[in-house]
Amino acid sequence: MSRSPGRKQEEHKISRELFVLTYGALVAQLCKDYERDEDVNACLDRMGYSIGIRLIDDFLARSAVKKCRSYSETADMIAQVAFKMYLGITPSVSCNSAAGNEFSLILDKNPLVDFVEELPAERASLCYCNILCGVIRGALEMVHLAAEVSFLQDRLKGDAVTEIGITFLRKPEDRKHKRN
């Protein structure tokens, strides 16, 4: 029996929609379980971190990327390969520091909020997509890159764009390992 050519895209779309709806239900349940938005944000970050430390193996195996030589190369790899591979989007990257260790990922479209119109007023400090920060942080840690990752702007909170900030915590020369 042959498959129609559009079948794979349809399955991908269904699984993406299922993921987005399931994610929304997860966040809704966390909001019921925790009174404070900060606790929900921390829980989402921890979940994302756990996903990131496991996802990096899949990413490295499926993408066959070479070792990045700079922080800017790493930020580009996250945006152009990882986001495209797992979320189907390609954020733009901008460097935010002269030292070259702070970057922003600007998301024109965030698939995790496809079915979310706006956050309720009582949840103003909720970072709905905080799981993404944890995923990035966990994946980077597994390749020995310590980083702080946080949302700088969020369309769900009325900002013009959705922006994720990545700050690498070590100088590039600290990353080199000495051989005995």
Side-chain angles (χ1 to χ4, degrees), residues 71 95 97-103 166-170:
Y71 290 142
C95 183
S97 71
N101 69 326
E102 295 179 25
F103 296 88
I166 302 172
T167 303
F168 293 98
L169 300 176
R170 292 188 204 109

Side-chain angles (χ1 to χ4, degrees), residues 3-152:
R3 286 186 161 166
S4 61
R7 177 101 174 144
K8 186 171 182 159
Q9 285 182 339
E10 182 179 306
E11 288 174 8
H12 176 70
K13 184 177 180 181
I14 291 170
S15 64
R16 178 179 159 197
E17 288 177 356
L18 178 63
F19 170 70
V20 171
L21 289 170
T22 304
Y23 182 74
L26 169 74
V27 174
Q29 185 61 48
L30 289 173
C31 288
K32 289 178 185 176
D33 292 345
Y34 296 102
E35 292 179 20
R36 296 175 0 147
D37 290 344
E38 293 76 18
D39 295 335
V40 176
N41 294 343
C43 188
L44 288 170
D45 184 72
R46 282 191 311 271
M47 288 177 170
Y49 178 82
S50 293
I51 292 168
I53 62 175
R54 289 165 181 79
L55 194 65
I56 191 67
D57 288 331
D58 179 67
F59 172 76
L60 293 172
R62 288 179 52 199
S63 66
V65 296
K66 304 287 186 222
K67 183 177 180 179
C68 296
R69 295 189 173 125
S70 67
Y71 290 142
S72 63
E73 210 175 301
T74 302
D76 287 338
M77 187 67 58
I78 292 167
Q80 296 172 5
V81 180
F83 267 80
K84 182 73 171 169
M85 185 182 293
Y86 294 107
L87 293 176
I89 59 170
T90 306
S92 58
V93 179
S94 64
C95 183
N96 296 340
S97 71
N101 69 326
E102 295 179 25
F103 296 88
S104 286
L105 303 176
I106 312 294
L107 286 72
D108 293 326
K109 182 167 177 16
N110 183 352
L112 291 181
V113 299
D114 281 352
F115 302 110
V116 180
E117 292 181 21
E118 62 183 37
L119 295 176
E122 65 273 8
R123 291 292 185 179
S125 59
L126 176 67
C127 190
Y128 183 84
C129 296
N130 210 38
I131 200 165
L132 294 176
C133 295
V135 169
I136 294 168
R137 189 172 54 82
L140 287 172
E141 188 171 300
M142 292 309 292
V143 292
H144 306 289
L145 292 172
E148 288 179 359
V149 185
S150 61
F151 272 87
L152 303 176

